[in-house]
Structure formats: structure tokens, C-alpha cells
């Protein structure tokens, strides 16, 4: 399968004012439909914007939004998103949370731990401290997003087209000249954190689904103190790192389509485009345990970075609308 990751919003914490969404999202496209989807999207884009090299999600009109969304609903796509309300957290709180997270990585490290693990954790903690608050917020949202994508994609396609689990091709929008920054953030912060989290929160798998194509990603995973172990688990470094590309969306149709859809999520929540034109975004969103989209808040007092008790009436209306149209993960 092909996974295109993009974001919408500046991720600058405000700590006050009306709700303001910043979104990190992923468009999951099954390999056997990718060529047809991108061909149809290219044709549609030429119809909507003759002569334009790209159709940015930030400027897409309501009519264009409806046409793009309708095209996507003809395919077996998944649209997964994580949202931060920038009005719900201040920059000072972000810095405090960032420092606390970096410190927490070192809490239980001792000389008894495997030397390579000690080195990796020290390097990860230092890299996390070095991020700007804006980039940290974006990285934190991505850290929540990617495991969600992997969980939903494996659960969904294992019941429908299980061969899609044989390969995961990730393409991340690097925002033009910031490719190096994006690559460094993924390699030094995101991938190590995701692999660590996977030992505590393994993928949910259905006994009746076909995971044979996914078996090649199973490998012995080190235990919590970093010692080698024969305990099998999912090798996320391979699942994600085997085919991971950072690209400029201006030259990549898949990223352009992801940009359109992720931007529409943010613009809808922020009241910048009519809900009526984007309600069918929900038909691409996975629904699991009654939830189609994650609203998160980095919070030192919370056991998990969840903030699902929506208080903004506009957001409540939209999330209910999308949830009513969303894709069920478990096939009856």
C-alpha cells in the first residue's frame, strides 16, 4: 500500500481564543488502485485548474472540494487524521511538555541497560530537546498518527485485500527545501519512539483475517531494558523505514491529493469552507470504537494525549457528521 502524509496549519500554540485546528493526516491508497486513482485525479485537476501545475488544498473551492472528494470515494482509500486545537495549549505548555518528555526518556536508564539502548535513548532525548516548539508539536502529532495509520490499514485491508500488507510505501511532504529537517526528525525522533511504543502497544490483529503477507515484518524485539529477546513483534523500523521517501508535493501527485484532503479537514474545522462540501470526507475515515478522528492535547497531567471531550459546537457538529459516514474497521 502507499501512504501519503501531509499537514495543515502552522502548529503555533496560541493558548487562547476560538478553536484553531492544526492537522497531520495520511491518505492510504491500496497499490492495486494507485495508478487509476492518480490518473483520474490528474484528469480532474486539469479540468478544474487548466494549466496549473498544482491545486493547493489551501485554495481549493467548495465545488472543487466536492469533485475531489467524490472521486476519492470511488476507491478503497483510508483518510486518517490527528488534530491539535492550538487554542487549547500555550507555547509555554508545549515547551514544558517537550522538556518533560525528553527527561522522561532518561528516567529509568541505568548502567544495567544494554549499551546500544543507552546510546540510542540519550541521542533521542537530545534530539527531542533540539526541536522548535512548532516542530515538536507537529512531530508529536505525527507520533500519534503513524501507529494509527498502521493499525487501521492492517486491520482494514487484511479483511479485504490482504496482499496489500506485503509492502508499505510511505511518502512524506517535506515542504520544499526542508527535506533535511524532515528526514532528521523522522530518523532521530519519530522512528525510535514508535518502535519503543510498539513493544507496549502491539498491533491489534483479527484471528480470522489473513496476515500472511505481513509475516515478513515479524522479528525478535528487544525487551524493555534493551536486552536482546526472542519475543516476536512487529519491526516498525522495517515497516516504516523500508520504503520511506521525503518529497516535494509540487512534483508528486499522491502528496498533492493528500494535501487537498488534509487541508479540507483543517479548513472545515476552522470554518473556512462549508461543511456541506466536505461532509463526505467521513466516508474515507476509519471508525473504530465510535471514533473517526483523533483530537489530541499534549498534557503532562493526562495518562494519554487524548482530548475527545469536544466543547466547540462547530467541531462537535462536524465530527458527528464525519463519524456517521465513516468506514467500519471490523467486517461483519
Amino acid at each position: 500500500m502507499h501512504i501519503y502524509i501531509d499537514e495543515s496549519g502552522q502548529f503555533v500554540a496560541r493558548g487562547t481564543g476560538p478553536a484553531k485546528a492544526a492537522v497531520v493526516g495520511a491518505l492510504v491508497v491500496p497499490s492495486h488502485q494507485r495508478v487509476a486513482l492518480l490518473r483520474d485525479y490528474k484528469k480532474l485537476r486539469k479540468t478544474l485548474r487548466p494549466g496549473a501545475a498544482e491545486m493547493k488544498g489551501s485554495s481549493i473551492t467548495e465545488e472543487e472540494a466536492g469533485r475531489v472528494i467524490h472521486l476519492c470515494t470511488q476507491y478503497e482509500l483510508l483518510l486518517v487524521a490527528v488534530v491539535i486545537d492550538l487554542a487549547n495549549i500555550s507555547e509555554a505548555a508545549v515547551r514544558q511538555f517537550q522538556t518533560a518528555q525528553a527527561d522522561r526518556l532518561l528516567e529509568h536508564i541505568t548502567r544495567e541497560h544494554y549499551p546500544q539502548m543507552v546510546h540510542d535513548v540519550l541521542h533521542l532525548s537530545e534530539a527531542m530537546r533540539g526541536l522548535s516548539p512548532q516542530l515538536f508539536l507537529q512531530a508529536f502529532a505525527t507520533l500519534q498518527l503513524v501507529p494509527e495509520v498502521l493499525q487501521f490499514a492492517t486491520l482494514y485491508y487484511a479483511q479485504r485485500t490482504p496482499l496489500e500488507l506485503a509492502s508499505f510505501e510511505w511518502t512524506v511532504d517535506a515542504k520544499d527545501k526542508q527535506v533535511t529537517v524532515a528526514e532528521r526528525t523522522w530518523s532521530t525522533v519519530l522512528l525510535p519512539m514508535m518502535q519503543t511504543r510498539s513493544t507496549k502497544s502491539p498491533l491489534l490483529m483479527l484471528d480470522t483475517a489473513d496476515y500472511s503477507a505481513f509475516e515478513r515484518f515479524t522479528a525478535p524485539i528487544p525487551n524493555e531494558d534493551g536486552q536482546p529477546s526472542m519475543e516476536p513483534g512487529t519491526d516498525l523500523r522495517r515497516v516504516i523505514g523500508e520504503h520511506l521517501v521525503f518529497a516535494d508535493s509540487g512534483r508528486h501527485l499522491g502528496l498533492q491529493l493528500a494535501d487537498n484532503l488534509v487541508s479540507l479537514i483543517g479548513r472545515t474545522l476552522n470554518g473556512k469552507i462549508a461543511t456541506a462540501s466536505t461532509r463526505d470526507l467521513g466516508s474515507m475515515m476509519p471508525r473504530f470504537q465510535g471514533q473517526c478522528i483523533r483530537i489530541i492535547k499534549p498534557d503532562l497531567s493526562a495518562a494519554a494525549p487524548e482530548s475527545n471531550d469536544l466543547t466547540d459546537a462547530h467541531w462537535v457538529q462536524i465530527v458527528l457528521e464525519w463519524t456517521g459516514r465513516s468506514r467500519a474497521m471490523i467486517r461483519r
Side-chain angles (χ1 to χ4, degrees):
M1 68 187 73
H2 293 258
I3 303 162
Y4 305 101
I5 296 180
D6 198 8
E7 75 276 349
S8 174
Q10 296 300 313
F11 289 87
V12 177
R14 295 183 173 186
T16 186
K20 179 72 172 179
V23 187
V24 175
L27 175 64
V28 185
V29 181
S31 296
H32 71 282
Q33 294 184 342
R34 184 180 71 93
V35 173
L37 170 67
L38 296 185
R39 180 193 61 218
D40 289 347
Y41 172 66
K42 187 175 183 179
K43 289 180 180 178
L44 177 61
R45 192 191 66 186
K46 286 183 176 180
T47 301
L48 297 175
R49 301 277 183 96
E54 185 177 359
M55 183 167 65
K56 297 295 292 183
S58 58
S59 65
I60 197 170
T61 67
E62 292 177 6
E63 180 185 355
E64 290 168 341
R67 296 279 296 277
V68 171
I69 294 170
H70 177 73
L71 168 65
C72 290
T73 59
Q74 308 307 303
Y75 292 88
E76 284 284 324
L77 312 180
L78 290 179
L79 179 61
V80 187
V82 168
V83 179
I84 293 179
D85 181 1
L86 299 171
N88 204 21
I89 185 168
S90 67
E91 183 175 327
V94 173
R95 289 185 180 277
Q96 183 184 16
F97 183 80
Q98 180 177 355
T99 300
Q101 289 294 96
D103 290 342
R104 190 171 297 172
L105 290 172
L106 306 176
E107 277 183 358
H108 304 293
I109 294 296
T110 69
R111 294 180 180 178
E112 305 301 319
H113 285 86
Y114 201 59
Q116 184 61 49
M117 179 188 180
V118 174
H119 174 272
D120 291 345
V121 171
L122 288 172
H123 190 262
L124 174 59
S125 178
E126 182 181 349
M128 186 178 292
R129 294 179 201 276
L131 297 176
S132 67
Q134 182 176 344
L135 192 53
F136 173 78
L137 263 189
Q138 183 179 328
F140 183 77
T142 305
L143 181 64
Q144 313 305 315
L145 172 74
V146 173
E148 292 274 295
V149 172
L150 191 57
Q151 177 63 85
F152 291 139
T154 53
L155 199 58
Y156 188 82
Y157 294 113
Q159 300 170 77
R160 294 162 177 86
T161 49
L163 284 178
E164 293 294 335
L165 276 61
S167 177
F168 297 79
E169 302 203 11
W170 305 77
T171 306
V172 181
D173 184 10
K175 296 304 177 192
D176 302 322
K177 297 179 181 180
Q178 297 184 17
V179 173
T180 302
V181 175
E183 288 179 340
R184 186 166 63 247
T185 303
W186 276 75
S187 63
T188 61
V189 178
L190 293 175
L191 286 177
M193 287 289 287
M194 290 172 197
Q195 185 63 71
T196 300
R197 284 182 50 179
S198 71
T199 61
K200 300 178 181 179
S201 303
L203 287 176
L204 173 66
M205 294 185 174
L206 294 177
D207 288 339
T208 55
D210 181 0
Y211 290 92
S212 56
F214 191 69
E215 289 177 359
R216 71 187 192 87
F217 296 111
T218 300
I221 301 298
N223 55 31
E224 290 190 4
D225 64 3
Q227 298 288 346
S229 168
M230 294 307 294
E231 189 69 25
T234 301
D235 186 353
L236 285 192
R237 287 182 180 270
R238 188 176 183 188
V239 173
I240 301 169
E242 186 175 67
H243 298 290
L244 176 61
V245 175
F246 299 87
D248 174 7
S249 64
R251 297 187 293 271
H252 203 293
L253 276 175
L255 283 177
Q256 291 176 31
L257 182 54
D259 163 77
N260 290 175
L261 299 175
V262 174
S263 291
L264 287 173
I265 292 174
R267 289 177 64 197
T268 304
L269 290 171
N270 289 331
K272 301 298 184 181
I273 194 167
T275 307
S277 64
T278 61
R279 59 164 57 101
D280 284 336
L281 282 172
S283 64
M284 290 178 275
M285 294 178 177
R287 181 178 74 256
F288 189 69
Q289 297 179 340
Q291 179 176 302
C292 78
I293 193 169
R294 285 187 67 192
I295 314 294
I296 65 170
K297 177 185 178 182
D299 191 344
L300 290 171
S301 63
E306 303 291 352
S307 181
N308 290 323
D309 297 326
L310 298 177
T311 57
D312 185 89
H314 180 62
W315 283 32
V316 170
Q317 176 190 351
I318 293 166
V319 171
L320 287 175
E321 189 91 42
W322 286 340
T323 300
R325 290 169 164 76
S326 57
R327 295 183 186 271
M329 285 293 98
I330 308 300
R331 200 174 186 181
R332 294 188 180 277

